Structures are given as structure tokens and as C-alpha cells.
Amino acid sequence: MLSDLSLLERLKEIKSTDRMPTLFIGHGSPMNAIEDNKYRRSWVKLGNLLPKPKAILSISAHWITHGTTKVTAMEKPKTIHDFGGFPDELFQQQYPAPGSPELANTTIGKVSSTDILPDFEWGLDHGTWSVLLPMYPKADIPIYQLSIDYSKPFQYHYDLGLQLRSLREKGVLILGSGNIVHNLSSLRYDATPYDWALEFDSKITSFIDNGNHQGVIDFQNLGSIARMAHPTYDHFIPLLYILALQEKNEGVYYFNESFDLGSLSMRSLVIS
């Protein structure tokens, strides 16, 4: 269940607003898409409480490009099973949501700082569909994805996010899917969070609460705890896009404020 009563109250309020909220979801294991656990249950509840979007733009940790930023522009994106070693039931999952070539082109037109290319090959990776399957099980909302150009500095991603703000006024729900702490080499099954993981999660949360987005962008300045929290940066970068979308009059509301397997922060947030 969503843990923050103020979030529940806020979600009821935004039913009548024109601007769509924006989300960062700590997605963790792809098994969360089908297991009956607290994370999946929170996503189900979130989908029931949010205003229904006209479309969803997902920025997933699992679509990495190098030297270019792309946006999916096909009519029917495929479901990508980009993982291994999981039960067959997970590989059988399909999420046949339509794409949105029109909004893909609109998104390309809104960005002046770089060239974004349309993509007709990718689809919906598990960073996207594993969250949306519980949230919107009917798969009747158009979905398109924006890739993460891993060759670019962190400021680039935040600045690109700034240029996407007006999409929210068009009924687009922008979703960032990753994890605030993500170290797969340090997973442990007693689930007790590491001290460095707790400290990093707390520091980033403090930056967000204080409106210090630059502190989040410059997270590497946190030194060793940043290196432990993110041996690679793919799961952190989506957060930068979502923070860039925050308007001055908007609050941040957290849910799933816990750790999974010791080194995965499942902390998630709604900005509205």
C-alpha cells in the first residue's frame, strides 16, 4: 500500500487538475510485475488513484543508447523481455499497449538542445511494462519511450527533462523508472540494507526535499557512497528527468520507502 497519507490525499485532489503528475518508480526486480507483494500492490493502487493519462512517456533505465537520444515512434511497440534466469511465467507476460507516433513527433519538436531521432525497433522494456502492467492492466493507454544517451553528462539529462515540461499540460504522464540505490553485485537475501545504501538514499531524499536539484545532479560529489550506490548510472539517470519536470508550486510525495535485497532502494515519488 502507499505509505504516505498525504500522498493519498494529494492524489484525490489532482483528479481535477489539468497538469498530469509525474512519477519516479523504483522498479526493482521484474518479478514485481506478477508477484503479490507490497510493491505491486502499491502500483495497482496508484493506477486507480491517478487521473487517467492520454499517453505515457517512459524514461527507463533499461533503454540505453550511446551518442544519440531516441524516442519510440511505432504504432505497436513490442514487449521486450530483457532479462534472464526468471520463471517462464514472467517471459509469457505481454503488454500490448499502443504507441503514439504523433506524440513522439511532438516530443522531438519540443527539444531544441539536441537532435532526437525516431526509433522503430525498440518497444517497451521491463523498466516500463513491469510497472505499467499492474498500474494499467488493460494496456489501453498509448505508451512511448525516450532513451538514455549514456555518453552524455548528468546535466544534459536534467536539461533535456526541462524541455519536456509542457507535455504534462497535454495529458502526458511522464514516468521515470529506475532505483535511487541500485547495486546488483551487493544483493543479499536477508534484505538488511547496507549502511552506505541507507546513507545515499537519505542524502538524495534530503536534496529533493530541499529543492536542491543540483545536489542530485552532482551526486558523485558524495564520494564512496555514490560509487557503491551506483556502479553504473543507468538506474539513477531517470530521476534527473523527473526532478526537472517539477514546477515551483509542486510538492514531492513518497511511497515504497524501503529496500529490497539490501542494495535496491524502492523509494518512489509523485510530483504534483
Side-chain angles (χ1 to χ4, degrees), residues 106-233:
T106 297
T107 301
I108 289 171
K110 288 188 176 298
V111 176
S112 59
S113 61
T114 189
D115 290 329
I116 297 181
L117 302 178
D119 178 88
F120 302 94
E121 300 295 330
W122 188 248
L124 305 177
D125 60 61
H126 83 267
T128 296
W129 69 258
S130 70
V131 173
L132 295 181
L133 179 61
M135 283 183 65
Y136 301 109
K138 293 182 180 179
D140 58 350
I141 300 170
I143 303 171
Y144 64 116
Q145 286 199 206
L146 183 73
S147 78
I148 293 172
D149 183 352
Y150 203 68
S151 68
K152 295 293 194 292
F154 301 117
Q155 189 69 53
Y156 166 92
H157 300 287
Y158 183 87
D159 292 344
L160 179 52
L162 290 173
Q163 297 175 77
L164 304 178
R165 281 185 175 182
S166 62
L167 290 172
R168 298 177 61 195
E169 311 295 338
K170 296 181 177 293
V172 178
L173 174 66
I174 303 179
L175 164 69
S177 181
N179 292 95
I180 289 179
V181 176
H182 186 266
N183 186 330
L184 295 183
S185 66
S186 296
L187 297 180
R188 60 185 181 190
Y189 289 90
D190 69 359
T192 304
Y194 294 91
D195 289 343
W196 52 262
L198 290 167
E199 184 178 358
F200 184 81
D201 182 78
S202 177
K203 291 281 190 183
I204 295 301
T205 302
S206 178
F207 288 149
I208 295 171
D209 289 343
N210 292 318
N212 182 5
H213 291 183
Q214 197 62 47
V216 181
I217 297 166
D218 297 333
F219 74 98
Q220 288 179 306
N221 291 342
L222 295 174
S224 62
I225 62 170
R227 292 190 293 273
M228 288 299 296
H230 290 282
T232 60
Y233 311 125

Side-chain angles (χ1 to χ4, degrees), residues 3-272:
S3 60
D4 190 337
L5 182 58
S6 65
L7 172 57
L8 295 176
E9 293 170 346
R10 180 59 179 155
L11 288 177
K12 293 175 183 177
E13 292 174 8
I14 61 177
K15 285 280 189 182
S16 60
T17 61
D18 293 328
R19 181 196 299 150
M20 284 298 298
T22 186
L23 313 174
F24 176 80
I25 303 291
H27 66 247
S29 167
M31 288 297 292
N32 292 326
I34 59 174
E35 288 183 337
D36 182 21
N37 60 33
K38 61 183 178 181
Y39 305 123
R40 186 182 188 281
R41 289 192 295 270
S42 75
W43 300 341
V44 170
K45 178 168 282 189
L46 192 62
N48 289 331
L49 288 171
L50 287 170
K52 187 175 182 178
K54 294 178 181 177
I56 297 170
L57 171 57
S58 176
I59 303 161
S60 165
H62 294 281
W63 191 19
I64 300 296
T65 51
H66 297 272
T68 185
T69 301
K70 297 182 178 182
V71 63
T72 56
M74 68 283 287
E75 293 278 357
K76 297 181 179 180
K78 62 187 176 184
T79 303
I80 303 172
H81 300 90
D82 48 336
F83 42 69
F86 291 97
D88 185 62
E89 181 186 0
L90 190 60
F91 288 91
Q92 296 304 315
Q93 300 299 312
Q94 295 292 320
Y95 197 70
S100 183
E102 180 181 356
L103 277 169
N105 288 326
T106 297
T107 301
I108 289 171
K110 288 188 176 298
V111 176
S112 59
S113 61
T114 189
D115 290 329
I116 297 181
L117 302 178
D119 178 88
F120 302 94
E121 300 295 330
W122 188 248
L124 305 177
D125 60 61
H126 83 267
T128 296
W129 69 258
S130 70
V131 173
L132 295 181
L133 179 61
M135 283 183 65
Y136 301 109
K138 293 182 180 179
D140 58 350
I141 300 170
I143 303 171
Y144 64 116
Q145 286 199 206
L146 183 73
S147 78
I148 293 172
D149 183 352
Y150 203 68
S151 68
K152 295 293 194 292
F154 301 117
Q155 189 69 53
Y156 166 92
H157 300 287
Y158 183 87
D159 292 344
L160 179 52
L162 290 173
Q163 297 175 77
L164 304 178
R165 281 185 175 182
S166 62
L167 290 172
R168 298 177 61 195
E169 311 295 338
K170 296 181 177 293
V172 178
L173 174 66
I174 303 179
L175 164 69
S177 181
N179 292 95
I180 289 179
V181 176
H182 186 266
N183 186 330
L184 295 183
S185 66
S186 296
L187 297 180
R188 60 185 181 190
Y189 289 90
D190 69 359
T192 304
Y194 294 91
D195 289 343
W196 52 262
L198 290 167
E199 184 178 358
F200 184 81
D201 182 78
S202 177
K203 291 281 190 183
I204 295 301
T205 302
S206 178
F207 288 149
I208 295 171
D209 289 343
N210 292 318
N212 182 5
H213 291 183
Q214 197 62 47
V216 181
I217 297 166
D218 297 333
F219 74 98
Q220 288 179 306
N221 291 342
L222 295 174
S224 62
I225 62 170
R227 292 190 293 273
M228 288 299 296
H230 290 282
T232 60
Y233 311 125
D234 42 10
H235 279 67
F236 192 79
I237 290 172
L239 177 64
L240 302 180
Y241 285 87
I242 300 310
L243 292 181
L245 297 167
Q246 184 180 13
E247 301 282 359
K248 289 183 179 179
N249 63 337
E250 291 187 306
V252 178
Y253 305 86
Y254 300 102
F255 62 102
N256 288 345
E257 299 172 83
S258 61
F259 277 78
D260 195 20
L261 300 172
S263 59
L264 295 178
S265 170
M266 297 298 289
R267 180 183 296 277
S268 303
L269 58 88
V270 177
I271 293 175
S272 68

